[in-house]
Amino acid sequence: MQFPVLSIREVLQRWTGGSERVAVHGWVRTVRQQKQVAFVVVADGSNTAGIQAVVNPDLVGSLATGTSVRLEGALVRSIGANQSVELKVDTVTLLGDANPENYPLHKAKLPLEHLRDNIHLRSRTRTFTSMWKLRNATFQGFHSFFQKHDFIHINTPIITSSDCEGAGEAFRVFDPESFKSQTEITAPSTQQHEQQQQSTSKEFFTTPANLTVSSQLHLEAIAAALPRVYTISPAFRAEKSLSTRHLAEFWMLEAECAFFTDLGQVMDLVEAGVRAATTYVRDTCTEDLDIVSQLSANGGSGGKNSNGNGGVITKNVVEMMAQGGNPFHRITYTEALRILQQFSKKKKWQYSVDKWGCSLQSEHERFLADEYFKGPVFVTDYPAEVKPFYMLDSSDCLGNRGEHGGKTVACVDLLVPGIGELVGGSLREHSLEKIEEKIKEKGLSLQGLEWYLDLRRFGSVPHGGFGLGMERYLMTITGMSNIKDVIPIPRWYGHCSC
């Protein structure tokens, strides 16, 4: 079909080089008035530059940054140096006014912090129209890769009775009527109010339910019948953090594969998927990638991001992660710890790495990817005590239990420059006896996990998978230093404004 309203990109693509009468629709970015003529830049997000319109000053009227318009006129070759074509306007239709005294985005360049205070309007800027197109291409790139390799996309539940990670950061689902009655109680103290809530709350479901923190367990159930499955779904964490790396609601790519018996197979899948998606984004959104990576280098118009000269560094990272780049490095947790210990005096870590078994923190992950390897690196075989219950013991697939005598599990984290951990994956424990033992060791209850145990009771097979944070991936390829700037409508602790 022919869409009833052409985008600016389509209008420009159809231009044959002569003088053609067209109509464009969009929002005004800038207005420059001179005595004899006015130059108005209109954009609809379909291309990066929009289109320059040449308008008689008598027709400008109340046109200002932010107003929506329909412009009609002749599309002709431009004599100016900044564009090859321009629209000579003879008819202006104002669709929606925007008072410049009140419009919060009236300036051409604004800091990302200011745009974050105007979440509902920031998509009008060139930075964020490009960002959302990059996000769209990222989703398409990953979907294309998995579909090409015979994976089935699964819609996994948002409400679940299982806490996959067991970290206690899940949002609880309550009966709405019960919650309403509790909020009407006037308690003399916060402590008494919390006690009343605990004693009177009623579950909407027959068992306690949360918003999902991961789709992994449900994907494992489907992978027991369809060996290759994946999902790109929202996930939720009730972590009370205001950092630049945390959201309450975000999107995860997760994949599960039956019959995987070696951790290298998981790493091969991760690397191939990341390379395919990065190549797709690079090749289909070159201009958008340039715009966002360059502007993110100075925080929009003010303030540097963590990369400093982010545009150049981001391009280098994209090339590292695209097809044709050097293979991702692969080391064990023990090897990573040795590297970090060698630099302990020079780097003065905030979190000590003196003891085998300690968790690797963001500062350690960033150092390994940014400074030591200067590229993506897989870190495998972490101590079992710092990882979730569902992971297979390293001894069951690699024949070792750690050089320091500690028990390790067959897991892997992919660390990338600028971010640190991007992907977490593992081989999954497929023995009923051992998975029950691991659940108890972690202090978790078997209740509510019977369905998960059934997957081990009936036709269990070796399998593995991984999860990738889509927002973290977007931060990696764009150079954006704040995760709130790579998701259209972010939710974070204390903020759910629209």
Side-chain angles (χ1 to χ4, degrees), residues 124-175:
R124 305 276 187 91
T125 66
R126 191 168 66 158
T127 300
F128 284 99
T129 54
S130 289
M131 174 58 75
W132 307 149
K133 288 191 285 184
L134 288 169
R135 186 180 174 94
N136 173 67
T138 294
F139 278 61
Q140 285 185 317
F142 278 114
H143 275 301
S144 177
F145 169 79
F146 283 103
Q147 293 295 320
K148 179 180 178 181
H149 290 85
D150 292 334
F151 278 74
I152 304 299
H153 183 256
I154 301 298
N155 299 122
T156 50
I158 289 177
I159 300 175
T160 177
S161 60
S162 305
D163 181 357
C164 178
E165 302 299 325
E169 297 170 353
F171 284 100
R172 189 71 172 274
V173 176
F174 290 103
D175 175 77

Side-chain angles (χ1 to χ4, degrees), residues 88-105:
K88 286 193 173 181
V89 176
D90 55 46
T91 304
V92 174
T93 304
L94 180 66
L95 301 178
D97 197 7
N99 188 330
E101 294 184 5
N102 300 324
Y103 185 56
L105 308 185

Side-chain angles (χ1 to χ4, degrees), residues 355-359 382-388 407-409 442:
K355 183 180 178 181
W356 190 94
C358 65
S359 296
Y382 285 76
E385 62 184 23
V386 300
K387 290 296 182 179
K407 182 179 179 182
T408 60
V409 286
K442 295 294 184 180

